[in-house]
């Protein structure tokens, strides 16, 4: 055991703890609406299983059949012998859902972004990324070696200026954003971004992790919800792990772009294929999701009901942030909610920018009306929340750069 290594870890942990930034893994059994921890059951507004599909009987049955037929693991990369028969069906279902020529499934959403961005971009290129884009989008940009410019959150005018300035020196340009932002629950203006990107021959990548299955006709996500032709967002990334209740990530794009991934995306090539049960379960989840519009509408409806009761801004999908500001305050709020039997995660830097710690409330079709009323009562009666609620929602958030604050 290296003494300097242990000392490094200890010092680092102590410093994080002093700033209320240390994190802990908590064991428990969770699903779309409940979390069992330490002998107690909480109503949880915490999972991304927006539709309650992770334990849907048809999804379970499809996964179990694939497990029985083909065993636990894929045993190799998709390029070797890990490309089981269910992949083709899943990829055509994804392409059909998004209205693209082709789709490519990765090991996770994180893998997808880490694979797709460096497969397309390099040191002569420029990437413009929204300040509040997910960590893996930032990591993908960094890994590509391209010049990376962070633009203020959802600020299309600022992006226009930065793009006009940077574009002439770059071989290729990419604009990277999320359809629905994971920690803020707001939406990008995809029509404006598509216009801008097309005007500068920049490739628009939209990560639809929190929109797929939740918004848009058929649950197709933010491009369809904005009424855009799918070709206007040429790189549509997403995950199978949220509204689809499974695991894995994907890119929906033109045929040649998808074909390039198979030869160039390192996270696809050098990582094992997904377990067959996951691929088959995800495929079934898409079918259930598309067939049940009421299931898709419910989480958004619940998020809006709570926002209205608490006089918070209307969320664009199923994520509702309750801004509290500092880390200690948000941890206290989290613990007070536990006393009410409610599990609502506290989000702190670097997941969110400094000074914008918040409760992140996520809703699922699996929540009952009573669950939601309990949440409204608990949040509404919290004196501290009542006090902090009106203060500048996301002040400072629009320009901060979360990635540099580690
Ligand atoms: C959750 C999330 C990811 C990561 O997806 P996984 O499949 O969980 O790895 C990527 N991007 C965004 C915007 C996300 O919210």
């Amino acid at each position: 055991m290296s003494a300097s290594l242990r000392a490094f870890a200890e010092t680092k942990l102590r410093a994080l703890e002093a700033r209320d930034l240390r994190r802990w893994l908590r064991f428990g059994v969770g699903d779309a609406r409940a979390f069992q921890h330490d002998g107690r059951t909480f109503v949880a507004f915490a999972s991304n299983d927006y539709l309650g599909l992770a334990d849907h009987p048809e999804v379970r049955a499809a996964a179990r059949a694939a497990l029985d037929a083909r065993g636990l693991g894929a045993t190799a990369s998709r390029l070797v012998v890990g490309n089981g028969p269910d992949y083709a069906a899943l990829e055509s279902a994804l392409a059909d859902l998004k209205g693209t020529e082709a789709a490519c499934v990765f090991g996770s959403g994180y893998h997808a972004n880490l694979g797709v961005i460096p497969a397309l971009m390099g040191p002569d290129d420029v990437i413009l990324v929204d300040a509040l884009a997910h960590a893996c989008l930032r990591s993908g940009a960094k890994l590509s070696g391209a010049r990376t410019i962070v633009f203020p959150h959802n600020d299309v005018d600022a992006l226009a200026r930065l793009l006009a300035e940077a574009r002439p020196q770059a071989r290729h340009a990419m604009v990277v954003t999320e359809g629905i932002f994971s920690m803020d629950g707001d939406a990008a203006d995809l029509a404006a971004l598509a216009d801008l990107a097309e005007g500068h021959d920049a490739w628009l990548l939209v990560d639809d992790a929190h929109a797929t299955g939740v918004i848009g006709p058929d649950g197709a996500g933010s491009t369809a919800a904005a009424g855009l032709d799918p070709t206007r967002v040429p790189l549509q990334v997403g995950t199978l792990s949220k509204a689809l209740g499974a695991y894995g990530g994907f890119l929906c794009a033109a045929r040649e772009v998808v074909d390039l991934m198979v030869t160039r995306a390192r996270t696809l090539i050098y990582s094992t294929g997904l377990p067959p049960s996951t691929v088959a379960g995800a495929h079934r989840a898409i079918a259930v999701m598309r067939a049940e519009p009421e299931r898709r509408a419910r989480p958004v409806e619940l998020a809006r009901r709570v926002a209205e009761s608490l006089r918070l801004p209307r969320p664009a999908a199923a994520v509702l942030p309750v801004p509290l500001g500092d880390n200690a305050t948000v941890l206290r709020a989290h613990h007070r909610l536990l006393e009410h039997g409610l599990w609502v995660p506290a989000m702190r830097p670097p997941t969110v920018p400094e000074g914008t710690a918040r409760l992140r409330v996520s809703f699922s079709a699996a929540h009952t009306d009573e669950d939601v009323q309990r949440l409204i009562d608990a949040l509404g009666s919290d004196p501290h929340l009542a006090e902090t609620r009106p203060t500048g929602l996301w002040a400072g958030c629009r320009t901060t750069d979360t990635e540099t604050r580690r």
Side-chain angles (χ1 to χ4, degrees):
M1 175 66 204
S2 158
S4 64
L5 174 59
R6 190 197 298 273
F8 167 78
E10 264 180 350
T11 310
K12 196 96 185 164
L13 285 171
R14 260 201 309 276
L16 288 166
E17 203 156 349
R19 295 163 60 209
D20 291 303
L21 287 176
R22 181 159 180 186
R23 301 176 185 218
W24 310 89
L25 286 170
R26 283 184 280 200
F27 290 98
V29 180
D31 63 22
R33 71 164 286 267
F35 187 61
Q36 289 158 26
H37 171 73
D38 212 10
R40 285 181 71 191
T41 300
F42 299 88
V43 172
F45 291 89
S47 96
N48 296 311
D49 186 7
Y50 298 120
L51 306 181
L53 292 180
D55 66 354
H56 188 281
E58 280 181 40
V59 173
R60 274 180 189 256
R64 194 179 302 116
L67 176 71
D68 289 343
R70 293 189 267 288
L72 181 60
T75 78
S77 162
R78 293 188 64 187
L79 279 134
V80 183
V81 291
N83 195 40
D86 298 314
Y87 266 113
L90 174 59
E91 288 177 340
S92 49
L94 285 166
D96 186 62
L97 175 67
K98 298 284 183 175
T100 58
E101 287 172 17
C104 180
V105 169
F106 289 76
S108 69
Y110 204 115
H111 277 83
N113 287 319
L114 244 50
V116 170
I117 300 173
L120 297 169
M121 306 304 279
D124 299 332
D125 304 325
V126 65
I127 301 176
L128 295 106
V129 54
D130 186 285
L132 297 185
H134 192 270
C136 66
L137 292 161
R138 302 289 291 276
S139 299
K142 192 179 264 185
L143 197 56
S144 74
R147 177 181 176 206
T148 300
I149 299 172
V150 177
F151 64 90
H153 176 53
N154 272 349
D155 188 338
V156 178
D157 294 335
L159 173 63
R161 281 192 302 277
L162 292 165
L163 190 54
E165 212 173 275
R167 185 67 187 93
Q169 299 117 51
R171 186 185 48 162
H172 297 129
M174 182 183 277
V175 173
V176 172
T177 192
E178 293 183 34
I180 296 291
F181 283 83
S182 62
M183 294 294 139
D184 296 74
D186 56 347
D189 182 351
L190 294 190
L193 292 177
D195 286 345
L196 193 57
E198 284 160 9
H200 290 276
D201 187 25
W203 304 331
L204 179 59
L205 183 152
V206 175
D207 184 337
D208 236 11
H210 298 274
T212 302
V214 182
I215 61 169
D218 277 344
S222 57
T223 302
L228 296 180
D229 186 275
T231 55
R232 301 206 56 206
V233 181
L235 298 163
Q236 301 193 41
V237 174
T239 179
L240 304 169
S241 69
K242 287 169 180 155
L244 296 170
Y247 194 67
F250 59 84
L251 169 70
C252 289
R255 177 86 259 161
E256 295 80 358
V257 176
V258 165
D259 288 348
L260 182 64
M261 294 305 137
V262 174
T263 300
R264 271 287 178 258
R266 294 168 66 87
T267 52
L268 178 79
I269 300 168
Y270 299 111
S271 189
T272 300
L274 284 166
S277 54
T278 303
V279 179
H283 181 215
R284 184 58 58 94
I286 294 173
V288 175
M289 180 280 283
R290 290 188 74 156
E292 297 187 20
E294 305 79 26
R295 183 189 291 273
R296 295 198 305 269
R298 184 159 170 86
V300 185
E301 186 189 298
L302 297 180
R304 287 179 177 164
R305 189 188 301 173
V306 174
E308 203 167 298
S309 299
L310 300 173
R311 279 171 284 122
L312 289 165
R314 179 183 158 92
V319 177
L320 177 67
V322 179
L324 290 171
D326 75 276
N327 305 330
T329 305
V330 80
L331 288 178
R332 268 200 307 279
H334 168 74
H335 285 108
R336 270 197 303 273
L337 289 170
L338 293 183
E339 289 161 21
H340 290 272
L342 299 168
W343 190 286
V344 180
M347 297 300 175
R348 290 166 289 157
T351 306
V352 297
E354 206 74 50
T356 71
R358 67 198 70 176
L359 296 169
R360 175 187 185 266
V361 193
S362 59
F363 295 87
S364 171
H367 286 121
T368 65
D369 289 341
E370 296 73 51
D371 294 339
V372 169
Q373 194 55 50
R374 267 177 78 181
L375 177 74
I376 292 172
D377 293 344
L379 286 172
S381 68
D382 190 306
H384 194 80
L385 293 189
E387 221 170 82
T388 50
R389 204 182 311 136
T391 61
L393 193 72
W394 307 151
C397 197
R398 314 220 162 251
T399 51
T400 12
D401 176 345
T402 56
E403 187 78 2
T404 58
R405 296 174 183 265
R406 298 190 189 276

